């Protein structure tokens, strides 16, 4: 049996957590250094909020904040939404030329239209477009789960001539699109797109009751959670006072990890040490250069280091459940010389 570290995780799990944390910390530092202050300025200009940071000179005491930028963003957003949702059926599915049965695709299209309406995909898509126009990149996370659908129902009672009125329950699978603020998104800076990246991550504050519910139904591991310290950079909007009660910082990593860390097939001799010592320093750098055999995985962390979930990518096509929309793409030309 594999020994556990002081944090209650096995050494393999601790190494996996450190692998994810070390990489996402580097990506976060790069993002904040290059984009964070600019994004916050964009947000203030868009919302018409004046800040001392926007002063151009010390003697400046006031400034006129016009709605021109807000109007330009709203106009661009309206144009894109008209292009996407302008028709009654705002998406289509093309059937294969060799498929002689054309009814199957028509049935699938109607089912998707019904599911999209129930899951509010249209509303979420509009929010992704808005984020793209304000910050230059619109990001959405696909969330797959189950929900209980309740409908009014009536049942006749035998021999009494009366009916019982109530609600019927039915479980169904859902695929929802969740808009992600760029301040809550991390990606490998060396990548040109989602598939090219070593991994991507979504970090945000989540209400603690949601995590507890996931622990109870077996979605997450049973760990001790604490209310996380306030991190204003993770908040989706700039506020005067931030609510810092009953919420947990969660990081969801979608990407490549060393296979032995996910499967638990590590070499025990390489990580052998006194169990009373701090294991963090020992694990540091052990997998730093080990990028040989990598597998797609989903790793969920809480409180910057507590492992909630670590599984191999369960999707058939090994897709990462992240979609990105960029209204304008700056082409990068690569010049090679002899």
């Amino acid at each position: 049996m594999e020994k556990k570290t002081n944090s209650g995780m096995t050494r393999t799990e601790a190494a996996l957590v450190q692998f994810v944390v070390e990489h996402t910390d580097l990506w976060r530092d790069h993002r904040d250094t290059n984009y964070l202050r600019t994004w916050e300025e964009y947000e203030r200009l868009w919302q018409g909020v004046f800040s001392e940071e926007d002063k151009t000179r010390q003697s400046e005491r006031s400034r006129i904040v016009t709605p021109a930028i807000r109007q330009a963003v709203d106009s661009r957003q309206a144009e894109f939404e008209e292009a996407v949702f302008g028709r009654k059926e705002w998406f289509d599915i093309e059937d294969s030329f060799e498929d002689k049965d054309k009814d199957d695709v028509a049935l699938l299209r109607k089912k998707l239209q019904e599911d999209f309406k129930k899951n509010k995909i249209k509303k979420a898509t509009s929010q992704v477009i808005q984020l793209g126009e304000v910050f230059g990149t619109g990001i959405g996370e696909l969330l797959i789960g189950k929900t209980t659908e309740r409908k009014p129902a009536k049942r006749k009672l035998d021999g009494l001539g009366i009916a019982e009125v109530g609600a019927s329950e039915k479980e169904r699978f859902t695929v929802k699109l969740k808009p992600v603020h760029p301040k809550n998104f991390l990606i490998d800076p060396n990548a040109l797109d989602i598939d090219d990246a070593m991994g991507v991550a979504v970090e945000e504050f989540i209400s603690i009751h949601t995590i507890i519910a996931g622990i109870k139904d077996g979605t997450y591991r049973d760990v001790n959670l604490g209310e996380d310290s306030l991190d204003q950079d993770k908040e989706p909007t700039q506020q005067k006072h931030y609510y810092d009660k009953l919420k947990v910082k969660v990081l969801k990593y979608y990407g490549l990890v060393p296979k032995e860390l996910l499967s638990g097939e590590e070499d025990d001799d390489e990580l052998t040490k006194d169990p009373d010592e701090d294991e963090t320093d020992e694990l540091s750098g052990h997998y730093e250069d080990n990028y040989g055999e990598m597998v797609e995985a989903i790793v969920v962390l809480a409180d910057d280091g507590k492992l909630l979930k670590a599984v191999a990518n369960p999707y058939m096509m090994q897709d990462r459940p992240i979609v990105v929309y960029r209204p304008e793409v700056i082409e990068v030309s690569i010049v090679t010389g002899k």
Side-chain angles (χ1 to χ4, degrees), residues 224-243:
N224 293 324
L225 297 173
E227 295 182 25
D228 204 291
S229 59
L230 182 63
D231 187 352
Q232 298 181 7
D233 292 342
K234 302 296 177 295
E235 297 293 345
T237 57
Q238 300 174 65
Q239 302 176 8
K240 293 183 179 179
H241 302 285
Y242 293 91
Y243 187 74

Side-chain angles (χ1 to χ4, degrees), residues 1-5 8-13 264 266 268 272 275:
M1 181 180 294
E2 192 175 4
K3 295 181 180 180
K4 293 188 176 182
T5 63
M9 297 181 290
T10 65
R11 286 180 293 178
T12 306
E13 293 170 343
E266 68 176 78
D268 291 335
T272 301

Side-chain angles (χ1 to χ4, degrees), residues 26-44 53 134-137 139 181-192 233 238 326 328 330 332:
L26 293 174
W27 302 348
R28 185 184 304 105
D29 291 342
H30 177 271
R31 181 203 64 189
D32 292 350
T33 303
N34 290 278
Y35 304 107
L36 184 59
R37 292 189 64 181
T38 305
W39 285 342
E40 291 179 344
E41 182 182 359
Y42 288 167
E43 184 181 42
R44 291 192 297 269
E53 302 176 29
V134 176
F135 300 101
T137 303
I139 306 165
H181 197 288
K183 292 195 296 185
N184 299 118
F185 182 70
L186 300 173
I187 187 172
D188 179 5
N190 297 318
L192 297 177
D233 292 342
Q238 300 174 65
R326 300 188 67 185
E328 294 182 359
I330 300 175
V332 179

Side-chain angles (χ1 to χ4, degrees), residues 99 115 132 211 222 236 275 290 302 324 330:
D99 187 7
D115 289 342
I211 306 299
D222 189 1
N290 186 2
V324 173
I330 300 175

Side-chain angles (χ1 to χ4, degrees), residues 118-297:
K118 289 181 179 179
N119 298 331
K120 301 179 181 179
I121 299 296
K122 186 175 180 179
K123 177 182 178 182
T125 303
S126 297
Q127 293 175 336
V128 172
I129 293 175
Q130 185 181 69
L131 289 172
E133 294 302 324
V134 176
F135 300 101
T137 303
I139 306 165
E141 180 184 11
L142 297 174
L143 302 177
I144 301 176
K146 289 194 297 185
T147 186
T148 301
E149 193 175 72
R150 294 178 175 86
K151 294 182 179 179
K154 184 169 63 174
R155 182 178 62 182
K156 292 183 179 181
L157 299 178
D158 297 337
L160 298 179
I162 58 177
E164 182 182 26
V165 178
S168 63
E169 296 183 354
K170 179 182 178 181
E171 279 195 348
R172 69 179 183 91
F173 286 94
T174 61
V175 179
K176 296 182 179 180
L177 177 64
K178 180 180 179 181
V180 177
H181 197 288
K183 292 195 296 185
N184 299 118
F185 182 70
L186 300 173
I187 187 172
D188 179 5
N190 297 318
L192 297 177
D193 53 37
I194 298 296
D195 296 331
D196 187 47
M198 177 182 146
V200 297
V202 176
E203 54 178 357
E204 57 191 348
F205 287 110
I206 296 179
S207 180
I208 194 171
H209 82 276
T210 304
I211 306 299
I212 297 299
I215 293 175
K216 288 185 177 181
D217 64 21
T219 302
Y220 298 137
R221 299 170 71 249
D222 189 1
V223 298
N224 293 324
L225 297 173
E227 295 182 25
D228 204 291
S229 59
L230 182 63
D231 187 352
Q232 298 181 7
D233 292 342
K234 302 296 177 295
E235 297 293 345
T237 57
Q238 300 174 65
Q239 302 176 8
K240 293 183 179 179
H241 302 285
Y242 293 91
Y243 187 74
D244 60 351
K245 306 297 183 183
L246 300 176
K247 62 181 181 181
V248 179
K249 185 161 66 176
V250 174
L251 184 144
K252 289 177 280 186
Y253 173 84
Y254 306 106
L256 296 171
V257 299
K259 182 178 180 181
E260 60 266 30
L261 295 186
L262 196 64
S263 61
E265 298 174 355
E266 68 176 78
D267 187 355
D268 291 335
D269 294 335
E270 296 183 7
L271 290 177
T272 301
K273 65 168 291 181
D274 188 347
D276 295 331
E277 298 179 8
D278 185 8
E279 305 243 355
T280 303
D281 295 336
E282 176 69 20
L283 295 171
S284 179
H286 180 70
Y287 291 99
E288 185 175 354
D289 300 321
N290 186 2
Y291 300 102
E293 191 172 6
M294 309 280 280
V295 295
E296 284 285 340

